[in-house]
């Protein structure tokens, strides 16, 4: 997995790219931070190729399903399917069931193939864009066998172009698992003096990328660009113009998405954001006042709050406050949906939650635990010394929140879908 990123970095000449790894058994984003490759976002269930294969097995098509879906999709019209992005993570199982049901109910198989590609690749592209925003980088590389899909490459290319970022996709032989990329990584490690006697080596299928000490890169290669430095900010999904005492947020149409999906997501999220931003304030969580909302245009006008994103000003007290705030909204029956360190604003003595566009009403312990998990992951992915901060998040949550959520969180953290997906 590290070699997928490194071969892209090696061939592109990029400095510090984020890598989308989309293969049969995997779907995740890796980014470099503080001597390690961190998992910035990942699938909550199966890898992307395996998900597609589940659908094609249902149709009785032979393995591998991906290329067949790609071919049939070219003859189809877009078919609406569930779209599931939760902060930096995503899941495929609901979409696959809906796709199977659609075919069973008589929808043309070409249309379902088209809808399937448009939906799951838009999800991957969106999360890739979120990872660029979170890390403040503007280089993306692709890895994994599903990276051979022309539509996925086109979407990623289009997203990067619209964002002003650079995109590199290695040629197909370096996308699939291959000895060449392992050799390139091996050579880099060897040059860095990072070697291991063959007699001491073995295969550890539970080895996660973030456990690998990255010895072959300088520690100074961390991305330092501050995305809030300019007047108009490219957020994880919107464009935000900062004025003296208000901000204007626009969910501009994304060229990479199918127009129907694009329209649906922009309107849904703008509406949810207006509603939940105010609902949170009513239960005592600091949020900006909503001055205006236009769901069809995808625009919102907010009070300007805070001096910094939490990402730039992490502290134990603020992490504790976010824990408390998440517990308060969960008690009120909804989740934030994307509580990253860029969606928290800090200033004076207040810690504001912003960007509720992925939030929704839910009383499920699982959803509440996921919210907390997303926040902890984003702290872990951006902080130099995360442990005390993560402990403070939990402390803050425990002070107000339901104990069952933290029990479930342990389970979420230990699920290890990633570990078993490595073979
Ligand atoms: N009300 C606000 N006050 C101050 N800064 C804001 C406000 N809303 C957004 N920002 C800034 O703009 C960035 C992007 O806004 P956000 O709502 O998170 O959009 P996106 O959905 O694209 O991530 C935030 O990370 C923050 O720096
Ligand atoms: Mg945001």
């Amino acid at each position: 997995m590290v070699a997928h990123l490194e071969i892209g970095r090696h061939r592109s000449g990029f400095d510090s790219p984020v890598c989308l790894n989309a293969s049969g058994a995997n779907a995740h984003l890796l980014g470099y931070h503080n001597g390690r490759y961190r998992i910035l976002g990942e699938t909550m269930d199966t890898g992307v190729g395996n998900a597609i294969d589940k659908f094609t097995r249902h149709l009785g098509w032979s393995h591998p399903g991906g290329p067949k879906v790609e071919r049939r999709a070219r003859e189809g019209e877009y078919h609406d399917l569930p779209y599931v992005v939760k902060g930096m993570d995503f899941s495929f199982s609901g979409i696959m069931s809906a796709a199977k049901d659609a075919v069973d109910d008589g929808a043309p198989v070409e249309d379902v193939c088209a809808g399937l590609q448009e939906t799951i690749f838009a999800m991957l592209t969106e999360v890739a864009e979120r990872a660029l925003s979170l890390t403040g980088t503007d280089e993306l590389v692709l890895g994994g066998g599903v990276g051979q899909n022309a539509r996925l490459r086109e979407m990623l290319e289009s997203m990067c172009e619209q964002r002003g970022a650079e995109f590199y996709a290695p040629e197909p032989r370096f996308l699939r698992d291959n000895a060449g990329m392992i050799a390139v990584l091996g050579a880099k490690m060897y040059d860095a003096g990072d070697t291991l006697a063959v007699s001491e080596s073995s295969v550890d299928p539970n080895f996660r990328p973030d456990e690998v000490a990255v010895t072959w890169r300088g520690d100074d290669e961390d991305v330092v660009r501050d995305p809030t430095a300019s007047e108009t900010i490219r957020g994880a999904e919107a464009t935000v113009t900062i004025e003296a005492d208000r901000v204007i947020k626009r969910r501009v149409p994304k060229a990479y998405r199918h127009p129907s999906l694009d329209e649906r997501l922009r309107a849904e999220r703008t509406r949810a954001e207006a509603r939940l931003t105010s609902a949170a304030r009513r239960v005592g969580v600091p949020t900006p006042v909503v001055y205006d909302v236009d769901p069809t245009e995808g625009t919102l006008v907010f009070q300007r709050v805070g001096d910094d994103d939490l990402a730039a000003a992490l502290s134990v007290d603020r992490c504790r406050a976010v824990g408390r705030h998440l517990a308060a909204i969960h008690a009120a029956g909804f989740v934030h949906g994307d509580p990253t360190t860029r969606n928290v604003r800090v200033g004076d003595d207040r810690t504001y939650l912003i960007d509720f566009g992925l939030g929704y009403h839910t009383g499920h312990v699982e959803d509440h635990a996921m919210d907390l998990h997303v926040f902890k992951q984003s702290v872990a992915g951006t902080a130099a010394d995360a442990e005390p901060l993560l402990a403070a998040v939990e402390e803050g949550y425990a002070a107000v929140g339901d104990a069952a959520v933290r029990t479930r969180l342990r389970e979420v953290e230990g699920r290890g879908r990633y570990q078993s997906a490595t073979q």
Side-chain angles (χ1 to χ4, degrees), residues 130 133 235-238 240 249 336 338 340 342-344 354-355:
R130 289 179 174 278
S133 165
E237 65 160 327
V240 174
K249 174 165 177 174
H336 182 283
D338 187 24
T340 64
R342 291 224 176 273
N343 288 335
V344 179
I354 63 164
D355 199 5

Side-chain angles (χ1 to χ4, degrees), residues 239-257:
T239 302
V240 174
T241 307
I242 309 275
E243 295 182 351
D245 52 4
R246 53 174 216 162
V247 304
I248 302 154
K249 174 165 177 174
R250 295 187 179 85
R251 285 192 165 80
V252 290
K254 299 278 185 196
Y256 71 79
R257 283 198 291 240

Side-chain angles (χ1 to χ4, degrees), residues 185-196 212-216:
L185 175 56
K188 286 180 197 276
M189 293 174 79
Y190 182 81
D191 278 346
D194 187 353
T195 61
L196 180 69
V212 181
V214 179
T215 52
W216 58 95

Side-chain angles (χ1 to χ4, degrees), residues 10 31 75 85 115 125 133 152 172 194 196 203 214 220 231 236 259 268 282-283 287 290 299 312 326 363 366 411 416:
H10 180 76
E75 298 145 26
V85 166
T125 305
S133 165
L152 174 60
D194 187 353
L196 180 69
V203 174
V214 179
D220 55 342
E231 279 269 89
E268 266 175 24
R282 284 198 296 275
V283 297
T287 65
V290 183
T299 56
L326 290 176
E366 173 79 14
E411 201 190 298

Side-chain angles (χ1 to χ4, degrees), residues 99-115:
K100 290 185 225 167
D101 290 349
V103 173
D104 292 348
D105 293 344
V109 85
E110 292 77 16
D111 292 3
V112 180
C113 287

Side-chain angles (χ1 to χ4, degrees), residues 159-199:
M159 179 275 285
C160 286
E161 195 187 311
Q162 196 173 5
R163 193 179 175 83
E166 289 186 274
F167 174 61
Y168 180 80
E171 68 236 58
R173 66 191 174 121
F174 287 133
L175 281 168
R176 296 185 290 258
D177 288 345
N178 65 92
M181 70 183 186
I182 303 296
V184 166
L185 175 56
K188 286 180 197 276
M189 293 174 79
Y190 182 81
D191 278 346
D194 187 353
T195 61
L196 180 69
V198 172
S199 58

